[in-house]
Amino acid sequence: MTREDDRELYKRAQQAWDAEDWPVAGELWERLVRRYPDIPAAETWWYNAALAHKFLRNWAKAYELGREAAARARRGTEDPAFWNLGIAATIMEDWATARDAWRGYGLTVPDGDGEIVTDFGATPVRLEGGEVVWARRLCPARAQVLNVPTPHSGRRFGEVVVHDGAPNGEREVDGQIFPVFDELLLFRASELPTTAVEVVAGTPEDVRALATLFDEHGYAAEPASGARVICACCSEGSVTQDRDHQVAGGQRVHLAAPVDRIAALMDAWCAAAPERRSWTGPVQG
């Protein structure tokens, strides 16, 4: 940079970046880098401009600028420019660019022309409302919800969400550590509504039998005894979880199933052990 206004532009861009003023930072980094797109420092400026728009959830702009940043990054070195582009390309459903971005980062993804669907294992995801659920990762940036989120979470069983790549907390299960990823947006909605019922179960096995029954029909049942309420600070730290923690007694259960199927399934569950099982519902709140 040789012109005085360019030095001033750089200074303002850096100040906005340090202040986390993402709208201003994104605009100024982009103005600067379009003047000097290929000087050595431009690699960082492209990345900063794209990342600012990622923070703003301006996915079209993050995708546009992210392509420029990734084009200047070194492949196979886990450069975050590729990861951010992979997220943006996934949201834009440019699957060819997403595949190339994941491979540029250093990951292995299946060949194909369309949506990336594989099994990257289970992971906890923090939904936009703060609730943490378990999900199956379909690709490096998307996961399908395996739990039945509470109704106030705004999410449903089976929905696919895009999540961030930077962990924000962790869960320990049977000595294994799982990073928690924050949801970025809903990618595909579920048609299964969430209904709350009250049940009385004589044994923990009765609770497990209810979950198994719904699972066998392609639905889900989430007993309240399997959930924990913790503060946001603790949620973003390290939390130890039991793999299967169910208790007997009266409790609320959230069901992911067509409303017109619930009564028959619940009655079938009760009929298998009527001396220990009963239910009422649906309930509100």
Side-chain angles (χ1 to χ4, degrees):
M1 294 180 291
T2 58
R3 295 184 298 173
E4 181 66 30
D5 62 330
D6 291 333
R7 288 194 290 270
E8 180 63 24
L9 182 59
Y10 173 83
K11 179 180 177 181
R12 290 169 53 208
Q14 190 64 60
Q15 289 173 337
W17 183 265
D18 292 341
E20 299 185 359
D21 186 347
W22 306 127
V24 173
E27 176 191 354
L28 296 181
W29 285 126
E30 183 180 3
R31 283 171 56 188
L32 186 63
V33 80
R34 290 200 184 279
R35 292 183 183 180
Y36 305 97
D38 295 312
I39 67 173
E43 179 180 336
T44 298
W45 300 345
W46 283 115
Y47 175 82
N48 288 351
L51 184 59
H53 285 286
K54 173 178 178 280
F55 290 148
L56 292 168
R57 304 297 190 259
N58 183 346
W59 299 113
K61 201 68 177 177
Y63 168 80
E64 173 193 344
L65 299 172
R67 286 172 63 95
E68 297 286 354
R72 293 162 174 81
R74 184 179 175 188
R75 298 179 69 86
T77 62
E78 298 187 357
D79 192 303
F82 288 109
W83 197 283
N84 290 339
L85 176 58
I87 291 174
T90 295
I91 292 171
M92 301 300 290
E93 299 191 49
D94 180 349
W95 300 111
T97 297
R99 278 184 170 83
D100 185 68
W102 301 131
R103 289 167 180 162
Y105 183 82
L107 301 178
T108 300
V109 294
D111 294 331
D113 297 323
E115 183 176 335
I116 303 171
V117 179
T118 186
D119 188 356
F120 276 76
T123 189
V125 173
R126 181 176 293 101
L127 303 176
E128 283 191 348
E131 186 172 331
V132 176
V133 298
W134 284 89
R136 180 174 68 89
R137 297 181 75 183
L138 306 177
C139 74
R142 290 177 306 134
Q144 185 170 34
V145 176
L146 299 175
N147 290 125
V148 183
T150 56
H152 65 76
S153 73
R155 292 288 173 262
R156 293 177 170 183
F157 165 78
E159 290 188 322
V160 177
V161 299
V162 177
H163 61 77
D164 207 350
N168 188 15
E170 62 183 28
R171 297 296 182 268
E172 180 179 348
V173 181
D174 295 341
Q176 183 176 356
I177 302 297
F178 296 85
V180 180
F181 299 106
D182 289 339
E183 175 192 346
L184 295 176
L185 57 77
L186 175 65
F187 185 84
R188 182 170 295 116
S190 169
E191 296 181 355
L192 294 177
T194 302
T195 302
V197 299
E198 297 286 346
V199 307
V200 175
T203 68
E205 287 71 26
D206 292 323
V207 179
R208 296 186 188 98
L210 177 59
T212 298
L213 174 64
F214 274 73
D215 181 67
E216 289 173 346
H217 287 79
Y219 310 137
E222 191 79 22
S225 58
R228 294 173 60 188
V229 178
I230 58 178
C231 67
C233 181
C234 293
S235 176
E236 295 177 0
S238 180
V239 179
T240 300
Q241 292 186 202
D242 296 326
R243 185 171 294 277
D244 182 14
H245 177 72
Q246 305 296 348
V247 298
Q251 60 190 288
R252 182 162 296 189
V253 177
H254 291 115
L255 307 173
V259 175
D260 59 2
R261 294 295 311 280
I262 289 175
L265 289 170
M266 294 302 302
D267 289 344
W269 174 73
C270 290
E275 72 283 1
R276 300 195 309 269
R277 304 174 183 177
S278 63
W279 76 284
T280 57
V283 297
Q284 301 297 320

